[in-house]
Amino acid sequence: IFFSDVVVNMARAENVLTLPMPIYVDDMGLIGHSASVVLAEMAMFQAWATMVCGVIFKVIKDRKAAQRQLMIGFWWCSSSLTRTLPEAKLLQYVEMLSVMAGAKKFSLHDMQVCAGRMQRAIMTLPAGAACLLYGLYTLMSGLKLGWHARRSNKGVRDDLSWLRKLLTINLGRGFYSLANFLWAPD
């Protein structure tokens, strides 16, 4: 939270960072039109973060900019502006959603695992799809220990089924930017 909310926003305020940078825990990446611009901005950001904030990067873990890159658990394609779940994860998520949609009772641990995977899967769908998480988060409310359980309800099971259907339709691939889309006719 400190890194993404404070350090990155300070860099944006100082115009050290101008490109979009998705962040997931300790993994991040810049997205831009040309590899040379992306690499230069990342080098400038890393130097600035070290000097100003004391945040040191492991340069050995850096990857050179590419049009298609595995980053933050997705395949990001800068030419089509899409992010795609790796096939193994997609199959795992669809299987889990299928099992959970048929379950009558969920433990807190199962719901937390499901919610995390659903959140990642929803990143391949339009923004409004996040409403599919509401019922599951409501069920988790008040539970404290991993083995605590709660009976599922039809609404949550329907949300899980819908997400499974949507993932099989979009094959785990969605747009992270709509910049390549044209305006529809009036």
Side-chain angles (χ1 to χ4, degrees):
I1 293 172
F2 172 77
F3 179 77
S4 62
D5 289 351
V6 177
V7 175
V8 170
N9 286 329
M10 283 173 54
R12 291 203 184 285
E14 294 288 324
N15 282 327
V16 173
L17 270 182
T18 58
L19 297 173
M21 179 162 63
I23 301 170
Y24 184 75
V25 186
D26 66 343
D27 199 2
M28 67 186 154
L30 284 179
I31 299 172
H33 291 289
S34 107
S36 60
V37 171
V38 170
L39 294 171
E41 186 160 321
M42 182 55 90
M44 186 170 59
F45 171 65
Q46 289 175 337
W48 177 89
T50 301
M51 278 188 341
V52 175
C53 303
V55 177
I56 300 169
F57 293 87
K58 296 177 183 171
V59 180
I60 196 165
K61 288 188 165 188
D62 282 0
R63 284 184 263 174
K64 298 291 182 205
Q67 283 189 331
R68 189 167 186 266
Q69 180 94 252
L70 182 63
M71 175 180 70
I72 312 174
F74 291 100
W75 283 104
W76 296 74
C77 179
S78 59
S79 55
S80 64
L81 303 180
T82 58
R83 64 179 158 216
T84 308
L85 284 167
E87 188 158 345
K89 281 193 185 282
L90 175 63
L91 295 173
Q92 179 185 32
Y93 291 5
V94 168
E95 174 65 24
M96 178 219 49
L97 290 167
S98 186
V99 168
M100 293 285 285
K104 300 291 182 195
K105 186 176 173 182
F106 305 136
S107 72
L108 176 60
H109 178 265
D110 292 341
M111 288 188 280
Q112 288 172 332
V113 169
C114 183
R117 290 178 179 172
M118 284 177 71
Q119 191 170 10
R120 293 194 60 75
I122 284 172
M123 289 176 71
T124 66
L125 299 170
C131 69
L132 295 172
L133 284 167
Y134 175 77
L136 191 62
Y137 277 107
T138 303
L139 272 185
M140 286 190 282
S141 176
L143 300 180
K144 302 249 188 264
L145 302 173
W147 63 84
H148 287 175
R150 191 163 276 154
R151 285 181 25 198
S152 67
N153 58 47
K154 183 176 179 350
V156 171
R157 289 192 304 270
D158 287 347
D159 289 346
L160 296 167
S161 291
W162 269 109
L163 183 55
R164 183 189 60 75
K165 287 176 191 172
L166 292 171
L167 272 181
T168 55
I169 291 169
N170 82 347
L171 301 174
R173 181 179 182 203
F175 294 92
Y176 65 83
S177 173
L178 305 179
N180 284 350
F181 283 80
L182 301 174
W183 284 95
D186 291 337

